[in-house]
Amino acid sequence: METFTLDKWIWTEADFDSMGWHDASIYAMRLDGHLSFDIDYIFKWNQPEVENFQFTFFVAPCTLFFKEVQELSFELSQPLYDNRMEIDDIELEVRDGKQHYTVITQQGHLTFVALGYTQTVRMYPSFQLGQTIAFDERGGISFETTTENKLAPDVQERVNERRAKEYDHYTWAKERHMLKGEIETLQRRRDANEIPLKDFLKEKNYMKDKLAYYNIILRGTSYQVD
């Protein structure tokens, strides 16, 4: 499994050039003279463990806080994804001594002026098979600016059990993906007359039975084959 080291818990506009919000999810916004976002921030994209398989991620729930917001305008025109917005990018331009921000999402954009921002990492980034964190695992909706938060023991136990099961599904799906590649390689070997027909049929039937087994155990999961 991939590993990740968090450089720091609180990030600011001084770190803007080293940050990127692409595909980060916004769960809630709060406007009270300042502007706060509750987001899942993707700290690391992990290359697929096998060719052409899925990416994995290190993600953390964060509070993105813009200080003393002015000149706020927004245009949102597309439906939400599962009650959340998805960030495409955040742009910063300094004009006349002011920091002008544009938050570009898949649903539209927000523009405003702010006196900088802080992004507080509420929980240590965790290994995720997708780009978001389950609601109970991220501690629900929050605008807290405290770091190193922990889940209650009973919630953490439930999360650990679910994640272990999801990782099993991921592992089986990865093995199935590799098996499909092996079947294609076997077929190419037969087409090139590199393997006798009898051996080819025996090995192919074994692989097809194994493939059918993976399809069965992955029924009802996100890896189910339609």
Side-chain angles (χ1 to χ4, degrees), residues 4 23-25 27 39-46 56-62 121 123-133 137-138 163:
F4 178 78
D23 285 351
S25 290
Y27 293 92
I39 68 173
D40 280 346
Y41 185 81
I42 303 170
F43 277 93
K44 183 182 179 184
W45 297 55
N46 305 311
T56 56
F57 309 88
F58 279 94
V59 190
C62 297
V121 184
M123 294 181 178
Y124 201 89
S126 58
F127 179 83
Q128 298 289 335
L129 301 178
Q131 296 175 320
T132 60
I133 306 174
E137 187 175 347
R138 71 190 309 278
R163 293 194 65 199

Side-chain angles (χ1 to χ4, degrees), residues 16 38 41 66 108 110 120 142 145 153 166 177 192 214 222:
F16 183 83
D38 178 18
Y41 185 81
F66 291 92
L110 301 87
T120 302
S142 176
T145 54
E166 290 172 347
H177 179 81
Y214 281 128
S222 59

Side-chain angles (χ1 to χ4, degrees), residues 10-47:
I10 298 177
W11 303 68
T12 72
E13 68 274 8
D15 305 301
F16 183 83
D17 289 342
S18 61
M19 300 180 72
W21 289 267
H22 183 67
D23 285 351
S25 290
I26 299 175
Y27 293 92
M29 296 184 291
R30 182 173 69 187
L31 181 63
D32 55 0
H34 312 293
L35 179 60
S36 300
F37 296 94
D38 178 18
I39 68 173
D40 280 346
Y41 185 81
I42 303 170
F43 277 93
K44 183 182 179 184
W45 297 55
N46 305 311
Q47 290 292 329

Side-chain angles (χ1 to χ4, degrees), residues 48-64:
E49 294 186 55
V50 295
E51 188 176 2
N52 296 324
F53 197 54
Q54 71 181 65
F55 280 83
T56 56
F57 309 88
F58 279 94
V59 190
C62 297
T63 299
L64 178 57

Side-chain angles (χ1 to χ4, degrees), residues 61 65 67 77 93 102 106 114 150 160 162 164 170 188 214:
F65 172 85
K67 184 179 180 181
S77 57
E93 182 181 359
T102 302
Q106 300 296 331
K150 306 290 185 182
N160 290 344
R162 184 184 65 234
Y170 165 80
R188 286 194 295 270
Y214 281 128

Side-chain angles (χ1 to χ4, degrees), residues 2-226:
E2 297 280 346
T3 59
F4 178 78
T5 300
L6 182 65
D7 293 332
K8 54 186 174 181
W9 289 88
I10 298 177
W11 303 68
T12 72
E13 68 274 8
D15 305 301
F16 183 83
D17 289 342
S18 61
M19 300 180 72
W21 289 267
H22 183 67
D23 285 351
S25 290
I26 299 175
Y27 293 92
M29 296 184 291
R30 182 173 69 187
L31 181 63
D32 55 0
H34 312 293
L35 179 60
S36 300
F37 296 94
D38 178 18
I39 68 173
D40 280 346
Y41 185 81
I42 303 170
F43 277 93
K44 183 182 179 184
W45 297 55
N46 305 311
Q47 290 292 329
E49 294 186 55
V50 295
E51 188 176 2
N52 296 324
F53 197 54
Q54 71 181 65
F55 280 83
T56 56
F57 309 88
F58 279 94
V59 190
C62 297
T63 299
L64 178 57
F65 172 85
F66 291 92
K67 184 179 180 181
E68 296 186 26
V69 169
Q70 299 179 354
E71 302 176 32
L72 173 65
S73 66
F74 57 89
E75 181 180 339
L76 303 175
S77 57
Q78 299 296 320
L80 303 182
Y81 299 137
D82 299 326
N83 294 320
R84 60 185 173 85
M85 292 192 294
E86 189 174 283
I87 299 175
D88 185 52
D89 197 10
I90 295 180
E91 298 177 350
L92 167 60
E93 182 181 359
V94 179
R95 300 196 308 267
D96 301 325
K98 296 182 179 180
Q99 297 179 28
H100 294 258
Y101 291 91
T102 302
V103 179
I104 306 168
T105 77
Q106 300 296 331
Q107 291 73 31
H109 64 273
L110 301 87
T111 61
F112 51 89
V113 172
L115 296 181
Y117 69 83
T118 58
Q119 179 167 297
T120 302
V121 184
R122 300 198 303 265
M123 294 181 178
Y124 201 89
S126 58
F127 179 83
Q128 298 289 335
L129 301 178
Q131 296 175 320
T132 60
I133 306 174
F135 191 77
D136 59 345
E137 187 175 347
R138 71 190 309 278
I141 301 297
S142 176
F143 296 107
E144 289 293 327
T145 54
T146 56
T147 62
E148 302 185 66
N149 292 298
K150 306 290 185 182
L151 297 175
D154 59 326
V155 177
Q156 187 65 64
E157 182 179 2
R158 183 173 68 247
V159 167
N160 290 344
E161 291 176 356
R162 184 184 65 234
R163 293 194 65 199
K165 185 179 296 185
E166 290 172 347
Y167 192 76
D168 283 342
H169 298 163
Y170 165 80
T171 301
W172 298 335
K174 180 178 63 176
E175 292 172 354
R176 180 181 63 184
H177 179 81
M178 295 170 63
L179 181 61
K180 289 179 179 179
E182 292 172 5
I183 292 174
E184 292 174 358
T185 299
L186 180 66
Q187 185 63 57
R188 286 194 295 270
R189 289 181 62 202
R190 175 55 194 165
D191 293 342
N193 292 317
E194 296 176 355
I195 181 172
L197 178 60
K198 181 180 178 180
D199 294 341
F200 165 75
L201 292 175
K202 180 180 179 180
E203 193 165 350
K204 184 176 182 180
N205 287 335
Y206 169 76
M207 289 182 175
K208 288 180 66 176
D209 288 344
K210 193 172 181 181
L211 185 62
Y213 168 74
Y214 281 128
N215 288 338
I216 290 171
I217 63 175
L218 287 169
R219 285 177 184 169
T221 75
S222 59
Y223 298 99
Q224 177 175 319
V225 176
D226 296 328

